[in-house]
Amino acid sequence: MAIDKLFKDEATEEKGERARMASFIGAMAIADLVKTTLGPKGMDKILQSTGRGHSVTVTNDGATILKSLHIDNPAAKVLVGILDIFVFLVFFCPEDDEVGDGTTSVVVLAGELLREAEKLVNAKIHPMTIIAGFRMASECARNVLEQKVVDNKQDAEKFRSDLMNIARTTLSSKILSQDKEHFAKLAVDAVMRLKGSTNLEAIQIIKKPGGSLKDSFLDEGFILDKKIGVGQPKRIENAKILVANTAMDTDKVKIYGARVRVDSMAKVADLEAAEKEKMREKVQKIISHGINCFVNRQLIYNFPEELFADAGILAIEHADFDGIERLGLVTGGEIASTFDNPESVKLGHCKLIEEIMIGEDKLIHFSGVEMGQACTIVLRGASPHVLDEAERSLHDALCVLSQTVNDSRVLLGGGWPEMVMAKAVDELAKKTPGKRSHAIEAFTRALLAIPTTIADNAGLDSAELIAQLRAEHHKEESNAGIDVISGSVGDMSELGISESFKVKQAVLLSATEAAEMILRVDEIITCAPRRREGM
């Protein structure tokens, strides 16, 4: 029996060329959106929400821009979704869904690959032939990068210099570019304390408005953004810390959804006295752990705070969730919620707890923590918008550096890798027979889009610079790249412009896979909207 109708009334489908064009256009539009943010002279975007509060974000961070977009085009969603895989494969930190440096490059390269693929499809070359050519080109490009890497892991001084160069290069395109030397040193010092770990939980970033960005500093300890309460000890040595998440407000009569009927005010007083006694018992159980510092995720009301103060115990209330999780991690303690078995509770330790001042704010400083590599970067700046962007920039640098400590292979930057790859891929195209050679040539042109965009965003003559670069790279062992400061071709080795091999490899592979996924599309089916059932 023939099927007259397959889809519901409001469902739509696009097939063949129309579907492919819709996919190409959506992905290229996303690439064009973030293209102007690429490179040391990239521009910023203002992202304004229309919800309650009308929050405004000023950023040139590709990941932040793409996460803020409400995209309707399915191919564009695929391209943004590829970035989540990129995060997982390259910069995966258990606590973190933010990507490190390289997101904009992935999107721009994928967009250019699709732009070139569109021309080939229009020339009647089958998408699977284009994909085969792209795969050959991608493999060739990765192989030539592997041959050009430098690894100074065995020489501590040279490796630190490599890390500083990578940090400067990463920060050059960010808001911190004016003080990149200062922040590069902060980032490298913080990452070197991790001793090879990629767990960025140990590096806390605190933002405090006031002062200038240059006033930011690295503190070798943990800082909790809370004040010490009235009557509490202001300094504790050899601290034994109980980190908890428990209610400390049962001295208040809070019986929701129930009525308490009494026949006199004396009964109310008895009820409150019973509640106080219950709280006193709970506090005694906590004190019996042999602690001198109690940190609670929830509020600590007046009566229990008074009991802790009388016992000489520092009680810190309402520690923010990230703060208390990180405090438990760095002091070696575990978060407790019951206190009947002191022997099963793991306490945190540190050498000194004291109150410090940053700007006009009082904070609590933990030094000599159990996790020796823990540290805090305190960011200062003129406004919350500046501080938020500074935090994103610094986080990118920390991600890239922590990965470089693991995979210490380093490449030159400034468009140099793209020129090296383009040269190798172009030579492959000349050797490859058949229609795949057209796809490989297209891959070469897409690779050149990265240095072209860097030059365009700096207001330079990209056609002239790319021609000069191509000529330079036909010489043996050329280190030529784009020097956007002088506006000419420069030696990237002398200028100290470096990038992580792991990042560059992931950019190449992620962009190729994204383009391949979108190229395979030959039909887009939009489901009918779900209707609400009538009452």
Side-chain angles (χ1 to χ4, degrees), residues 28-43:
M28 287 188 290
I30 287 288
D32 289 341
L33 177 71
V34 297
K35 186 185 281 189
T36 56
T37 67
L38 186 68
K41 301 289 184 180
M43 305 298 281

Side-chain angles (χ1 to χ4, degrees), residues 139-376:
E139 187 65 24
C140 171
R142 189 169 70 86
N143 289 341
V144 75
L145 279 189
E146 284 185 336
Q147 294 165 19
K148 299 283 185 179
V149 294
V150 175
D151 191 342
N152 290 318
K153 187 73 179 265
Q154 304 308 317
D155 187 328
E157 194 174 322
K158 282 185 179 178
F159 185 54
R160 183 180 172 84
S161 175
D162 284 345
L163 291 177
M164 284 293 292
N165 287 340
I166 288 172
R168 287 190 205 100
T169 305
T170 303
L171 295 171
S172 289
S173 60
K174 313 289 183 184
I175 194 173
L176 303 177
S177 58
Q178 299 301 316
D179 305 305
K180 64 183 176 185
E181 194 67 39
H182 177 62
F183 282 98
K185 188 174 185 306
L186 287 188
V188 171
D189 286 346
V191 167
M192 292 299 275
R193 287 179 64 83
L194 295 179
K195 296 176 180 152
S197 167
T198 55
N199 184 8
L200 297 183
E201 270 283 357
I203 302 173
Q204 184 192 21
I205 298 177
I206 286 182
K207 298 174 287 187
K208 283 292 167 190
S212 67
L213 286 169
K214 199 171 276 188
D215 296 329
S216 304
F217 62 92
L218 176 72
D219 187 282
E220 296 181 358
F222 181 85
I223 297 175
L224 192 63
D225 195 357
K226 300 299 293 182
K227 292 180 183 175
I228 291 177
V230 178
Q232 305 278 336
K234 302 290 183 188
R235 178 186 171 91
I236 291 179
E237 294 182 5
N238 297 318
K240 294 175 183 174
I241 306 160
L242 176 58
V243 184
N245 183 9
T246 186
M248 300 296 288
D249 60 345
T250 47
D251 59 314
K252 307 289 183 188
V253 179
K254 288 188 176 180
I255 306 172
Y256 295 105
R259 289 183 181 178
V260 180
R261 186 173 291 178
V262 293
D263 52 18
S264 70
M265 288 303 294
K267 295 285 176 66
V268 176
D270 289 345
L271 198 63
E272 289 188 343
E275 290 285 350
K276 273 195 170 185
E277 191 55 39
K278 189 176 173 185
M279 176 51 64
R280 192 190 302 275
E281 288 174 14
K282 186 171 186 178
V283 171
Q284 285 304 322
K285 283 182 182 177
I286 292 170
I287 293 172
S288 69
H289 287 69
I291 60 170
N292 50 17
C293 177
F294 177 66
V295 184
N296 192 27
R297 167 74 183 84
Q298 301 179 42
L299 291 171
I300 302 174
Y301 282 74
N302 293 347
F303 180 63
E305 189 175 57
E306 183 185 319
L307 295 176
F308 283 123
D310 290 343
I313 292 172
L314 170 60
I316 302 167
E317 66 171 358
H318 210 209
D320 65 285
F321 189 76
D322 285 344
I324 198 168
E325 288 276 329
R326 192 179 275 114
L327 181 63
L329 174 76
V330 300
T331 59
E334 291 178 357
I335 298 173
S337 54
T338 57
F339 311 100
D340 293 322
N341 301 304
E343 66 280 356
S344 66
V345 175
K346 190 176 180 185
L347 300 180
H349 297 84
C350 77
K351 290 180 180 174
L352 178 66
I353 301 175
E354 59 185 342
E355 193 171 62
I356 60 170
M357 290 281 291
I358 297 176
E360 297 176 358
D361 296 333
K362 290 181 179 178
L363 299 95
I364 304 171
H365 184 245
F366 297 75
S367 54
V369 290
E370 188 96 345
M371 183 187 275
Q373 63 260 42
C375 59
T376 302

